[in-house]
Amino acid sequence: MSVRVLIVDDQALFREALATLLEVQPEITVVGEAADGEEAVRLCAELHPDVALMDLRMPVLDGIAATTRLRAEQPGVQVLALTTFDDDEDVFAALRAGAVGYLLKDVSSTRLVEALVAAKRGESVLQPSVAAKLVARVARLPAETPGPQPLATPLSERELEVVRLLSDGHSNREIAKTLFLAEGTVKNLVTSVLSKLQVRDRTQAALRARKLGLF
């Protein structure tokens, strides 16, 4: 089943170009376009997309505020930020608001499609530069408890490899290629990592693993 996507951006030409690019992808169905966050919230209620591909700096209602509203009013809609900017303020505000991923507009079409598919599953996909910012920020925090693996059930060596790669922003497909594993195996390993770290998503897993000193 294809991923139903709502494109949200205040630049009409960019929206149209992106819609044209995505509509030829068999994995993607573009269900609509919105020019600002307010319109995005309204269209999500009407069209029920799987993913809102969200710009951040828009008039009327910006992408951060729209993401916050969507997570409260339409929790079934995942938000994937797609923006020109990767400054700390935007990155952390978007993730705090509930965006499941954060990509820049220079992303390749292949990477974008993979991110949309992953976002539908609730998986977090981060631009490598964004993942680096998260790791750098958490590195400045003190560890919660001493010791290399302060968990009730420690991560296996393979799970540690997986959490390091997802912390760098890699998708399940990319992790599978790197570790020479089946994508289904990686998905199971990610699920186990989330359970052991007691977190809901990949971004939180990366943050908690780094805070615990696991890499």
Side-chain angles (χ1 to χ4, degrees):
M1 184 177 295
S2 65
V3 183
R4 293 168 52 82
V5 176
L6 176 71
I7 298 172
V8 188
D9 197 288
D10 62 331
Q11 297 181 6
L13 187 60
F14 180 79
R15 288 199 313 274
E16 293 166 5
L18 189 55
T20 299
L21 172 70
L22 292 176
E23 283 170 348
V24 301
Q25 306 293 331
E27 305 97 325
I28 307 297
T29 299
V30 177
V31 298
E33 301 175 21
D36 58 66
E38 190 70 43
E39 186 178 15
V41 173
R42 177 177 60 79
L43 288 178
C44 280
E46 295 177 5
L47 302 173
H48 306 290
D50 298 308
V51 182
L53 193 54
M54 184 78 70
D55 190 20
L56 297 185
R57 301 186 182 182
M58 298 181 291
V60 185
L61 187 70
D62 66 30
I64 303 299
T67 299
T68 300
R69 283 187 54 184
L70 283 175
R71 299 310 299 153
E73 301 172 16
Q74 303 287 329
V77 178
Q78 302 289 355
V79 176
L80 178 60
L82 180 66
T83 181
T84 307
F85 309 98
D86 70 343
D87 58 85
D88 289 6
E89 182 179 351
D90 283 338
V91 169
F92 296 115
L95 296 177
R96 281 195 301 267
V100 73
Y102 196 111
L103 297 175
L104 301 182
K105 287 182 177 179
D106 62 358
V107 68
S108 69
S109 58
T110 299
R111 174 69 164 171
L112 178 58
V113 170
E114 289 178 353
L116 288 166
V117 172
K120 178 181 178 179
R121 297 194 295 257
E123 298 175 7
S124 179
V125 180
L126 301 175
Q127 191 91 3
S129 62
V130 172
K133 289 178 183 293
L134 288 174
V135 171
R137 172 168 287 197
V138 177
R140 296 193 293 267
L141 301 175
E144 289 186 344
T145 56
Q149 282 241 34
L151 296 171
T153 306
L155 300 184
S156 68
E157 287 301 316
R158 184 63 87 183
E159 288 167 343
L160 284 170
E161 291 176 327
V162 167
V163 79
R164 291 186 189 107
L165 288 169
L166 69 83
S167 297
D168 289 334
H170 293 292
S171 66
N172 282 1
R173 180 176 298 180
E174 291 168 334
I175 294 173
K177 289 179 180 178
T178 300
L179 299 181
F180 303 101
L181 297 172
E183 193 170 348
T185 300
V186 172
K187 183 177 180 181
N188 291 337
L189 286 167
V190 171
T191 299
S192 178
V193 166
L194 297 183
S195 175
K196 289 182 179 181
L197 292 176
Q198 298 182 323
V199 294
R200 293 177 299 141
D201 59 45
R202 296 157 71 96
T203 301
Q204 291 180 356
L207 293 174
R208 181 160 171 76
R210 184 63 184 83
K211 191 173 183 180
L212 292 174
L214 300 185
F215 59 87

